[in-house]
Amino acid sequence: MVNTVSLIGRMTKAPQLKYLTEGRLQTSFVIAVNKGYKTDEADFVLCTIWGKLAETTVKYCGKGSLVGITGRLNTRSYEKGEGRVFVTEVVVEDIRFLVTKKRDDQEPIPQHEKKVESDFEFPTSHTNQLPV
């Protein structure tokens, strides 16, 4: 069996980097994924990224950034108060920065300075159209 998820959506807020035990890095964010072309409805999907990829994502993405993610579905639960909370999330294994938005605490990043350790080439077009 295969557990693979691929989505394209916009970040609902700027991701924040968390420093965990043993030097591990993590960030979580929610992306809004349109349900279709003729509706304004969206699904909101929780995403988690670990390590260097988390650091790079926080550096270059802010609220409204359009990203393409590939990862796997993960379910977990924990105790909170008098009940159990269940969480379904996408653990991101690859992210593509399709249209980045300036983070509130940063200056705009020129397109030629954005670097990600992958084979993806950033589009040179300044429109919000995805490459075909």
Side-chain angles (χ1 to χ4, degrees):
M1 303 220 175
V2 177
N3 179 358
T4 302
V5 176
S6 294
L7 299 168
I8 295 176
R10 291 201 180 270
M11 291 185 172
T12 60
K13 67 179 185 177
Q16 300 296 317
L17 195 61
K18 295 177 187 170
Y19 296 89
L20 305 174
T21 59
E22 300 174 10
R24 295 176 61 192
L25 302 173
Q26 184 263 346
T27 189
S28 294
F29 54 89
V30 174
I31 61 171
V33 179
N34 289 342
K35 287 188 176 186
Y37 293 105
K38 297 185 181 199
T39 180
D40 289 337
E41 295 178 16
D43 288 314
F44 296 88
V45 180
L46 176 62
C47 303
T48 300
I49 302 180
W50 293 91
K52 180 72 173 163
L53 199 53
E55 188 174 36
T56 303
T57 300
V58 169
K59 182 176 180 180
Y60 292 113
C61 293
K63 180 179 179 177
S65 292
L66 181 67
V67 295
I69 61 164
T70 303
R72 61 182 169 76
L73 279 179
N74 184 54
T75 57
R76 58 187 170 86
S77 64
Y78 59 92
E79 291 292 329
K80 183 175 180 180
E82 295 181 21
R84 191 150 199 81
V85 176
F86 293 89
V87 177
T88 300
E89 65 190 340
V90 175
V91 176
V92 178
E93 296 165 352
D94 186 42
I95 185 167
R96 309 296 180 167
F97 306 143
L98 303 176
V99 178
T100 56
K101 298 281 185 175
K102 181 180 107 170
R103 292 182 48 88
D104 292 337
D105 58 346
Q106 288 182 329
E107 293 296 317
I109 302 167
Q111 192 72 21
H112 67 279
E113 290 183 18
K114 298 177 186 171
K115 293 185 170 82
V116 177
E117 295 179 20
S118 75
D119 59 352
F120 178 75
E121 294 291 328
F122 287 98
T124 56
S125 168
H126 294 289
T127 66
N128 287 335
Q129 299 294 320
L130 295 176
V132 286

